[in-house]
Amino acid sequence: MQRRSTSALRPIVFRPVEDKSVPQELAKLNFIFFDDATQFEQSADKLADALQTDIGWIRQHTEYGEAERRWSAAGRPSGLLLHSPTLEVAEHWLVTRPHYAPEPTGEIRAFAVQSRKAARSAQRVWRLVLASTFTFMAVTILGLIGWINQDYLKAQINWYWTMRPYKVENFDRYVLSADAERALNPGVSFRECAKDCPEMIVVPAGNFLMGSPTTEKDRYDNEDDGSGRQHKVTIATPFAVSKFDVTFSDWDACVLVGGCPKVGQADGTGGRGEDRPVTFVSWYGARVYVAWLSTMTGKTYRLLSEAEWEYAARAGTATAYYWGDEVGEGNANCSDCGSEWDGLRTSPVGSFKPNAFALHDMAGNVWQWVEDCEHVNYKGAPNDGSAWTSECILDRRVVRGGSWLNIPPDSRSAVRSNWPAGNRNGRLGFRVGRTLTP
Amino acid sequence: MCLRLGLLATLGCSLRGTPAKKPILARVDHVISNAVEKTVKARIFISYSRKDIAFADRLDAGLKARGFDTLIDRSDIRAFEEWWKRIEVLIAGADTLVFVLSPDAVQPGTAALKEVAFAASLNKRLAAYRLSSSRG
């Protein structure tokens, strides 16, 4: 585009202006022609050729010049600046001047520079807007996801900040190794934490008659198979039972690290105390605790089955109470058992003599949740000691052992009562079992 | 930016008040310029002295006959402010100024010289048609 016309035309029509009669203003003349009246058409043709030389570039010069004048005249508003893609075309135009075309004016250059600056700043603003928008959207979305999953996130945060450190500190070094667990003999006690978890006692395998004979005094009719016979159960492997009911210190340790819900109770409904059995715990709450304990130890802590509970309570006895057939005085805490807490409140765990398995408070003090649900009697119950959780009557779970407010016969080993699983009151507590690896 | 960021940028360009045009890259500029060269005729402003009006008319006719878009001022009085503003606009819009060069046209203070000086200040391409002395 640049080379063609100028080089061709130059020898004929282009001459430096040197005539002294040509004034200074014409020093910039690009072309000069000489009039020869007889040759007008020929010289006009040459002029026409010269005028078309580089007209593409020249026309842009004209247009940008006019645009610059409009911009200046209007007080240099940014709206009249060159914008992309015209700006890019103009910048390209600036650096591709044909050899014989006049220079772009300083004004046009300044106009292009100003346009570029404005474009850059607009770009920066736009990028900022984009970045802000995306950041805002991302934060909003993350916030929303976080809000929707806040329970999960809280649990995660709690696990990494509180519970896992507690597990490492209080449990990991105390958990039984597989070898140590296999070496356990019946009667041995162990504790898989530094503090605030139940002490466990190994109970031997064996078999027993569950329920009461029809001859037992003050018995209830759900204590047999529906036809007056007791239910024979064989427990094939040893298992562990907590020496005491789960206490408030045990429970509160779980609450403190976010593993269990808080339990509250009013005065005169059992009371509170570090070494007293935890109360106001529903069956679900008890399940939360054993699940938490299992997480902490990596072992299977669980509620006892009803059969396991009675087997552990009897500890080889067939009498109404594990100390005999009469309630006597000072053997347990019930409404009239001859203790200082009778009918008033719970007693500190271990306030009475243990049974033959060295387990305390298997009669009186608080009812103890077991895994099984309610049934009218033992007809159809499993005979291997496992929990009976099918064919339930509504969602009621069995409780065992009687309480500080119940009459003495309710503390008999064979007594089976039940509560809706969600119930919480000052007479309801629990103890834990643990499966032992054979 | 409009090109690089695609769809979002198109939105952005619209927001800024720049119509989202079909993208033109500088590389295509050559092609366009060449096309312009073949189809666009230069806009010519003819600057002359009143004394040379006969030649200026002939030149105007000759250029028009060759397809040029000519701008020529034929007003008798060339002194008012408004007249000069109009001339400025015409010259600014012209691609080339053709000066009919004669002894009369280069007398100091002529409108023709003023026009040439203005066109020079805009870096317009200038061509001169020098009349033979017999015409003076």
Side-chain angles (χ1 to χ4, degrees):
Chain A
M1 166 175 109
Q2 290 99 317
R3 310 282 164 254
R4 169 184 52 86
S5 34
T6 40
S7 52
L9 292 170
R10 195 174 164 208
I12 308 166
V13 299
F14 181 79
R15 291 185 195 176
V17 181
E18 41 198 319
D19 194 302
K20 289 198 171 53
S21 69
V22 174
Q24 201 190 333
E25 287 89 339
L26 299 182
K28 289 185 176 180
L29 279 179
N30 300 88
F31 302 105
I32 188 160
F33 297 86
F34 291 90
D35 175 43
D36 177 347
T38 61
Q39 300 277 305
F40 178 79
E41 293 302 325
Q42 287 94 319
S43 67
D45 282 343
K46 285 173 186 166
L47 174 66
D49 267 357
L51 295 177
Q52 278 302 99
T53 302
D54 300 321
I55 186 61
W57 195 89
I58 295 285
R59 172 54 54 82
Q60 280 175 281
H61 189 177
T62 306
E63 284 172 358
Y64 299 139
E66 287 187 294
E68 189 278 326
R69 280 168 61 79
R70 277 196 300 276
W71 174 65
S72 285
R76 311 191 155 207
S78 59
L80 287 183
L81 285 168
L82 298 174
H83 295 296
S84 186
T86 317
L87 176 56
E88 283 76 24
V89 174
E91 285 170 335
H92 178 70
W93 170 82
L94 275 173
V95 297
T96 52
R97 180 175 71 88
H99 195 252
Y100 292 102
E103 285 277 349
T105 61
E107 285 85 350
I108 293 177
R109 290 186 187 281
F111 181 51
V113 167
Q114 198 57 44
S115 298
R116 174 50 66 194
K117 276 186 190 164
R120 281 210 194 95
S121 106
Q123 197 174 344
R124 273 196 297 274
V125 168
W126 175 240
R127 279 189 184 150
L128 196 68
V129 167
L130 269 189
S132 315
T133 310
F134 283 136
T135 308
F136 177 76
M137 278 164 60
V139 166
T140 308
I141 290 169
L142 285 177
L144 206 64
I145 290 170
W147 184 75
I148 290 167
N149 295 298
Q150 55 182 311
D151 290 341
Y152 171 78
L153 289 176
K154 276 180 192 164
Q156 288 299 305
I157 291 167
N158 186 60
W159 170 253
Y160 286 105
W161 281 89
T162 313
M163 218 185 272
R164 197 174 63 169
Y166 182 73
K167 174 180 182 287
V168 169
E169 179 206 348
N170 197 45
F171 290 92
D172 285 359
R173 280 181 295 133
Y174 303 91
V175 172
L176 293 183
S177 68
D179 286 343
E181 193 168 327
R182 269 192 293 271
L184 290 172
N185 288 318
V188 170
S189 83
F190 62 91
R191 195 183 211 194
E192 296 183 288
C193 65
K195 60 181 172 66
D196 298 330
C197 74
E199 180 181 349
M200 305 300 292
I201 288 182
V202 180
V203 167
N207 54 67
F208 77 112
L209 285 176
M210 194 175 183
S212 58
T214 51
T215 53
E216 191 165 302
K217 199 168 68 170
D218 298 320
R219 75 185 292 274
Y220 297 101
D221 59 9
N222 64 352
E223 295 170 14
D224 58 37
D225 67 354
S227 57
R229 283 190 299 273
Q230 285 171 275
H231 179 61
K232 188 173 181 182
V233 172
T234 301
I235 291 168
T237 57
F239 60 102
V241 179
S242 62
K243 185 173 181 179
F244 307 112
D245 293 316
V246 172
T247 64
F248 272 103
S249 354
D250 296 337
W251 182 268
D252 289 348
C254 179
V255 174
L256 202 64
V257 297
C260 298
K262 276 192 176 121
V263 288
Q265 69 293 307
D267 283 343
T269 51
R272 192 183 170 90
E274 284 185 3
D275 57 349
R276 290 163 65 185
V278 67
T279 50
F280 280 85
V281 177
S282 69
W283 181 81
Y284 300 111
R287 297 261 300 199
V288 166
Y289 180 84
V290 292
W292 173 77
L293 204 53
S294 300
T295 304
M296 291 293 104
T297 57
K299 305 292 181 178
T300 308
Y301 279 86
R302 52 179 177 79
L303 295 180
L304 294 169
S305 71
E306 188 179 4
E308 285 171 339
W309 191 95
E310 188 170 331
Y311 175 70
R314 290 189 175 282
T317 65
T319 49
Y321 306 91
Y322 50 79
W323 56 81
D325 278 321
E326 298 303 324
V327 69
E329 290 283 315
N331 289 313
N333 175 15
C334 71
S335 71
D336 189 18
C337 285
S339 83
E340 58 182 286
W341 304 280
D342 278 12
L344 298 173
R345 64 183 73 88
T346 58
S347 47
V349 297
S351 296
F352 304 95
K353 280 184 294 184
N355 68 9
F357 287 162
L359 304 172
H360 291 265
D361 303 306
M362 292 302 273
N365 212 8
V366 289
W367 288 108
Q368 299 164 32
W369 289 111
V370 296
E371 183 71 17
D372 305 46
C373 59
E374 183 199 3
H375 295 90
V376 291
N377 54 42
Y378 290 121
K379 191 177 182 202
N383 53 18
D384 62 353
S386 59
W388 190 14
T389 54
S390 55
E391 302 120 31
C392 302
I393 301 175
L394 303 173
D395 192 19
R396 297 175 72 95
R397 296 285 164 165
V398 173
V399 293
R400 289 299 214 123
S403 82
W404 56 272
L405 199 58
N406 284 75
I407 55 171
D410 288 352
S411 296
R412 288 178 300 110
S413 298
V415 168
R416 42 197 319 235
S417 183
N418 55 74
W419 286 90
N423 252 48
R424 310 185 321 140
N425 63 53
R427 285 158 283 152
L428 287 179
F430 67 103
R431 82 172 57 214
V432 301
R434 181 186 178 299
T435 302
L436 295 176
T437 312
Chain B
M1 185 186 73
C2 297
L3 305 180
R4 269 178 272 130
L5 292 183
L7 195 66
L8 281 163
T10 309
L11 175 67
C13 294
S14 313
L15 287 175
R16 293 212 319 265
T18 310
K21 288 177 195 165
K22 187 186 172 190
I24 303 170
L25 292 167
R27 238 173 281 134
V28 215
D29 188 37
H30 283 292
V31 181
I32 292 166
S33 296
N34 286 335
V36 165
E37 207 144 325
K38 291 199 182 72
T39 57
V40 169
K41 279 290 190 177
R43 274 201 296 268
I44 310 300
F45 184 89
I46 300 171
S47 185
Y48 65 101
S49 159
R50 307 294 309 156
K51 301 253 175 66
D52 301 320
I53 190 149
F55 180 79
D57 281 344
R58 191 182 172 197
L59 186 58
D60 182 26
L63 289 176
K64 276 202 168 74
R66 283 166 178 78
F68 288 95
D69 191 359
T70 59
L71 306 160
I72 182 162
D73 172 41
R74 288 199 174 78
S75 48
D76 291 326
I77 302 163
R78 306 174 149 188
F80 296 120
E81 187 80 357
E82 278 158 37
W83 164 77
W84 176 246
K85 275 191 180 146
R86 194 171 61 82
I87 294 299
E88 277 190 347
V89 170
L90 291 180
I91 291 172
D95 298 317
T96 301
L97 180 142
V98 175
F99 180 50
V100 179
L101 178 56
S102 75
D104 294 311
V106 297
Q107 290 303 310
T110 59
L113 274 189
K114 199 178 172 186
E115 290 162 357
V116 169
F118 180 69
S121 79
L122 298 180
N123 286 12
K124 290 289 176 184
R125 172 176 275 174
L126 304 176
Y129 216 103
R130 184 166 191 176
L131 299 187
S132 54
S133 51
S134 58
R135 260 172 205 279

